[in-house]
Amino acid sequence: MHIFGILDTFLMDKNLNNLFVISSPSGGGKSSLIEALLSDPNAKKLSLSISFTTRMKRSNEKNGKNYYFIDDNEFKKKIKNNDFLESAEVFKNFYGTDKKTTEEMLKTKDLLLELDWQGAFNIKKQFTSVKNIFLIPPSFNILKSRLKKRGTESEDSIIMRLSAAKEEISKYPFYDFLVLNDDFEKALSDLKNIILKKTSKKEFKTRVSENLLKNLLD
């Protein structure tokens, strides 16, 4: 993985709405939980920022809904034009968050970004009030099972993603909230408390134990 770095800060947190970042290892269940969160009637003032990526579109994905799928040349052109708030290479594919869109959306709504730890680090350095959320899997066996269930990953790809997952989970101290995704409804409830009810870091009671983190990182 390679971080392209933080682009020039283009606005301050002042007078903006709430910004949230959700991260997880591959197979951590981000997409399903985010979809369910956005369908909640209380999420009318919450929007999801759609990232640009050079990776191939999966059969169940739609351009403009899951990602904006572009080729390498288009992506490099956008970097040159300083179009991205942050960008990074993950598993040999490029990902980037559009600067102008983020600025406009934050003026009117709370905004949710679905990013890996690299993107989360970059955003935190530019928006000090951002709330970073990490989805923790209950075990690597379950993570592996979820990746296989996708039906889109080769065995080599699954091994690579599981290997990267340990490094990703090791970044947990950087995050404001740890959400255990062992049960869909419980994880969704935790996300609603953080994002829709604005539960503070101090008030939030995580279900992620120290023993679980130790087992995942050993």
Side-chain angles (χ1 to χ4, degrees), residues 121 134 136 167-178 201 213 217:
F121 272 49
F134 197 92
I136 299 288
E167 180 187 6
E168 293 169 319
I169 293 170
S170 74
K171 310 297 181 184
Y172 79 87
F174 164 80
Y175 286 82
D176 301 299
F177 300 92
L178 301 181
K201 182 178 178 179
L213 290 169
L217 295 174

Side-chain angles (χ1 to χ4, degrees), residues 58-101:
R58 295 174 183 143
S59 59
N60 63 331
E61 292 177 326
K62 292 183 179 180
N63 187 49
K65 179 182 179 182
N66 303 96
Y67 290 97
Y68 293 110
F69 296 93
I70 60 177
D71 61 28
D72 285 8
N73 289 332
E74 289 179 274
F75 197 94
K76 290 173 182 176
K77 185 183 292 185
K78 291 181 77 66
I79 289 176
K80 186 177 180 181
N81 293 337
N82 199 28
D83 290 339
F84 290 131
L85 179 60
E86 61 79 32
S87 58
E89 181 181 359
V90 183
F91 301 122
K92 300 180 181 180
N93 295 303
F94 301 132
Y95 295 80
T97 302
D98 187 77
K99 182 190 297 185
K100 185 177 179 180
T101 302

Side-chain angles (χ1 to χ4, degrees), residues 22 29-39 48 112 114 191:
I22 292 184
K30 292 190 301 294
S31 298
S32 298
L33 284 167
I34 289 172
E35 185 175 354
L37 176 69
L38 291 171
S39 68
L48 175 66
L112 185 61
E114 182 182 350
L191 288 179

